[in-house]
Amino acid sequence: MTNLNIAQQRLHNQHITQPTLEEPAELVKWFGAVQAQDYASAKWALGLRSQHIDDSIEQAFTAGTILRTHVMRPTWHFVSPADIRWLLTLTAPRVNAANAYMYRKLELDDATFARSNTILAQALQSGKQCTRPELVHILEHEGITTTDLRFTCILMRAELDMIICSGPRRGKQFTYALLDERAPVTKTLERNEALAELTRRYFTSHGPATLQDYTWWSGLTTTDARAGIEMIRSECLQEVINGKTYWFSSLTPIAKDAISPTAYVLPPFDEYTVAYEDRSDVLNPAYTEQSGYGIDPTIVINGHIVGTWKRTFQKKAANVILNLFAPLNEDEMLALHASVNRYGAFLNMPANVTFS
């Protein structure tokens, strides 16, 4: 297996080259979690891997078939309602540990969190959804200070404690709702079962990947990540490439070599890049800083990052500005234009291409 094989297999396993899952909820479940702090871009991450357009993914979010919460590292992720409780049970202790210094600095102790959780639960009961400004007002009225980053930490802790999660958007504003009302009946797993399941999801959807990649993505300790791999070892294949051990599911088909160039415009923080500690398999080290370490919106040709892009809007059209690190041949350029057109179709508007 070469770097090209690794890239092609990841594109295949992430449903980029061949979208086969029909519903956004199925796609999120396949991954286990999809990074989503940039909401609009995260919707494109799902659209890229499916036949859905922006509006239909928004509808799924409104209906609660996909939820958005802090579950790993810590940052926002899309998760399935069926998975949210066992995921949080497994990962919340690690996120709270990562936040511990900030909690202390902001004078947020367990007693304060218990009180704020109670206030939020009472405010949102009976199907009510509130925006952030509304929750600020409610907490301040009850004597809970929300200045600086206290409010962000209070909401995140309520998410980690499985009190609240995302509600439908109200216009462009996000709301919060009670988790018990958005996901009233969900599966629970024992810790080792949850660890095995998250490990299985990662290497099935993101493989080939290393132990270090999984540790980075999940936020788990190296000890737990290694234990998770041992639990599913019989379901995995492994290969040592350039001195690194890669793991991937034995149940997913091996990706076929592409006959013609493939091109994709990926959103920022896409799972294809952000889910790996070491991105050198798909990113030439010479382009590391130019690509924002692979986290910026990237242009991918044949599995490798060859540029970045950004968008602006004007008169019901998207202007897609491409920044290529090196020239492309004619076939690659045609494939890239086709990918931009697909992005325009996702937005339900024309996409005009310019080059920086």
Side-chain angles (χ1 to χ4, degrees):
M1 184 176 284
T2 64
N3 282 2
L4 179 59
N5 298 135
I6 291 171
Q8 289 176 333
Q9 192 63 46
R10 287 178 181 174
L11 288 171
H12 175 80
N13 289 345
Q14 290 206 18
H15 287 264
I16 295 175
T17 52
Q18 190 176 1
T20 59
L21 298 175
E22 294 184 2
E23 298 301 326
E26 292 181 292
L27 192 54
V28 170
K29 190 175 180 65
W30 170 261
F31 280 95
V34 175
Q35 191 156 330
Q37 75 267 41
D38 187 323
Y39 178 71
S41 298
K43 288 194 290 181
W44 168 231
L46 299 184
L48 173 69
R49 295 164 168 86
S50 68
Q51 302 303 319
H52 284 270
I53 64 173
D54 185 280
D55 286 347
S56 61
I57 294 174
E58 184 73 37
Q59 289 167 12
F61 182 75
T62 298
T65 59
I66 57 174
L67 301 175
R68 185 168 173 259
T69 194
H70 286 87
V71 69
M72 293 188 297
R73 287 201 299 278
T75 191
W76 292 100
H77 282 81
F78 284 143
V79 295
S80 164
D83 297 328
I84 191 169
R85 283 191 174 82
W86 67 259
L87 271 171
L88 283 169
T89 299
L90 178 64
T91 63
R94 289 290 296 166
V95 179
N96 279 322
N99 289 345
Y101 169 78
M102 187 59 67
Y103 292 164
R104 290 193 299 271
K105 182 178 179 180
L106 296 172
E107 298 181 342
L108 291 168
D109 56 17
D110 287 343
T112 304
F113 284 131
R115 185 160 171 254
S116 60
N117 281 351
T118 299
I119 293 168
L120 293 171
Q122 291 173 345
L124 296 170
Q125 64 185 350
S126 302
K128 188 174 181 181
Q129 292 120 22
C130 291
T131 64
R132 292 174 66 92
E134 288 169 345
L135 293 178
V136 164
H137 176 75
I138 290 167
L139 288 166
E140 290 281 356
H141 181 74
E142 295 294 331
I144 301 288
T145 302
T146 60
T147 54
D148 300 323
L149 291 174
R150 281 174 62 93
F151 181 62
T152 296
C153 288
I154 286 168
L155 290 187
M156 190 185 302
R157 180 58 181 261
E159 291 174 311
L160 296 169
D161 289 345
M162 294 183 273
I163 305 297
I164 64 173
C165 65
S166 58
R169 288 209 292 175
R170 189 188 304 164
K172 293 186 177 181
Q173 291 194 77
F174 290 96
T175 71
Y176 288 84
L178 289 182
L179 178 61
D180 284 346
E181 295 180 357
R182 294 290 269 176
V185 180
T186 58
K187 174 173 60 175
T188 58
L189 299 175
E190 297 296 327
R191 189 178 192 281
N192 282 348
E193 292 178 302
L195 179 57
E197 184 60 23
L198 185 62
T199 309
R200 180 180 296 111
R201 300 273 186 98
Y202 178 77
F203 286 102
T204 300
S205 61
H206 293 82
T210 66
L211 167 66
Q212 291 75 19
D213 292 330
Y214 176 48
T215 302
W216 152 252
W217 178 81
S218 65
L220 298 172
T221 64
T222 301
T223 298
D224 276 343
R226 184 178 286 112
I229 291 175
E230 288 300 316
M231 292 174 188
I232 64 164
R233 177 182 282 270
S234 63
E235 305 170 27
C236 289
L237 301 173
Q238 69 178 100
E239 189 165 341
V240 178
I241 306 164
N242 298 326
K244 296 184 292 185
T245 300
Y246 290 81
W247 300 85
F248 50 103
S249 173
S250 61
L251 304 178
T252 52
I254 299 299
K256 297 178 181 179
D257 292 339
I259 298 174
S260 57
T262 60
Y264 307 98
V265 286
L266 303 184
F269 308 105
D270 190 79
E271 289 292 317
Y272 186 71
T273 54
V274 78
Y276 307 90
E277 182 183 58
D278 182 358
R279 294 161 194 156
S280 62
D281 293 312
V282 301
L283 175 60
N284 185 327
Y287 304 141
T288 298
E289 291 190 14
Q290 286 176 272
S291 68
Y293 298 86
I295 290 178
D296 287 347
T298 56
I299 300 166
V300 171
I301 302 287
N302 298 328
H304 290 89
I305 296 171
V306 300
T308 59
W309 64 284
K310 61 182 179 180
R311 72 174 189 185
T312 60
F313 291 104
Q314 183 178 12
K315 294 182 179 179
K316 298 183 179 179
N319 298 317
V320 177
I321 305 164
L322 306 176
N323 173 35
L324 296 172
F325 302 152
L328 303 182
N329 64 38
E330 183 178 355
D331 288 341
E332 291 169 339
M333 191 63 74
L334 287 172
L336 178 54
H337 277 275
S339 179
V340 172
N341 288 338
R342 185 178 171 196
Y343 177 61
F346 169 78
L347 296 174
N348 196 27
M349 63 177 63
N352 306 317
V353 174
T354 57
F355 291 87
S356 66

